[in-house]
Structure formats: structure tokens, C-alpha cells
Amino acid sequence: MGSLYTELGAMKQKIKALLEENNRLSIENGQLRKVLKRETAIHAPQPKPEPVVVHEEEVRDEPDEAPVLTGDPIAVGQGYDNLARLYHEGFHICNLYYGHLRTEGDCLFCLSFLNKD
């Protein structure tokens, strides 16, 4: 009888842990869905501009210039802004818990990372 009681207590603890994890994952899933909706709205396909045609007579001999990067280069500070946005949306940005949902308020590791100069 005592072993059954002990086994029942262990099962209750396991169920409690699973329910807490399910609740945490549900909250995290909801927040990720909000972020996804916002990001897809921001990054909706936009019509591409028509290419500019340059005629030979418009081309001049100019001194060597630095190569022009193609694509969308990341602006300085944009990565920091993205991390700050993630933190304010409720996710860890520290190396210990990166990407996990913050459930207990502010994280000192994340805050120290944001406050680095």
C-alpha cells in the first residue's frame, strides 16, 4: 500500500510538471504567433523597382571606387535593436537561456547584455 502511495505521489508530480510545461509552451507559442504575424506584415512582398538602364555615352571613367554591396546590408545597430525588441517581447537574449520565454520578470544577464556600451 505504501509503495502504491509513493508511486501515486510521483505520478502527481510528473503530471504537475507536464501541465506547467504545457502552459509555458502555450504562452510561448502565442507570443511567437504574434511576432510572426507582425513580421509577415512588415516583410510583405513589395513590387521590385525596374532596373535602371545606363547607356554607354553616360558612363564616365572614374577612379577606382570601393565595391558596391548588393542586397540589403544590415544597418549598424540593427542587431542590437532586434535583441532589445525580443527582450521586450518576453524572451531571453542572454547566452544562458537565449530564446526561452521569460516567466519570472527581468533577467539580470539579459539586462547586463543590453546595457553594455
Side-chain angles (χ1 to χ4, degrees):
M1 187 71 149
S3 65
L4 284 175
Y5 185 75
T6 304
E7 189 177 331
L8 181 62
M11 287 175 52
K12 283 183 179 181
Q13 290 296 330
K14 182 69 175 174
I15 290 172
K16 179 182 174 190
L18 288 173
L19 287 173
E20 288 174 352
E21 182 181 12
N22 186 35
N23 188 31
R24 180 184 58 81
L25 290 174
S26 295
I27 292 170
E28 186 174 352
N29 192 13
Q31 290 207 1
L32 288 172
R33 286 181 191 273
K34 289 178 188 176
V35 170
L36 180 63
K37 283 181 183 179
R38 183 175 34 233
E39 291 296 319
T40 54
I42 291 172
H43 298 296
Q46 300 173 354
K48 293 185 177 182
E50 294 183 24
V52 177
V53 178
V54 178
H55 299 286
E56 286 185 31
E57 53 275 354
E58 294 177 7
V59 176
R60 295 183 239 163
D61 286 335
E62 295 184 12
D64 290 338
E65 296 179 3
V68 177
L69 298 175
T70 58
D72 295 329
I74 297 176
V76 176
Q78 185 177 356
Y80 177 85
D81 293 342
N82 286 338
L83 288 175
R85 180 179 49 81
L86 282 174
Y87 180 77
H88 291 296
E89 287 175 357
F91 296 97
H92 282 277
I93 59 168
C94 61
N95 62 340
L96 299 174
Y97 304 107
Y98 183 81
H100 290 111
L101 187 64
R102 286 187 297 116
T103 56
E104 298 179 6
D106 290 331
C107 170
L108 295 178
F109 297 114
C110 294
L111 290 175
S112 68
F113 180 76
L114 284 175
N115 291 329
K116 284 184 182 178
D117 289 334

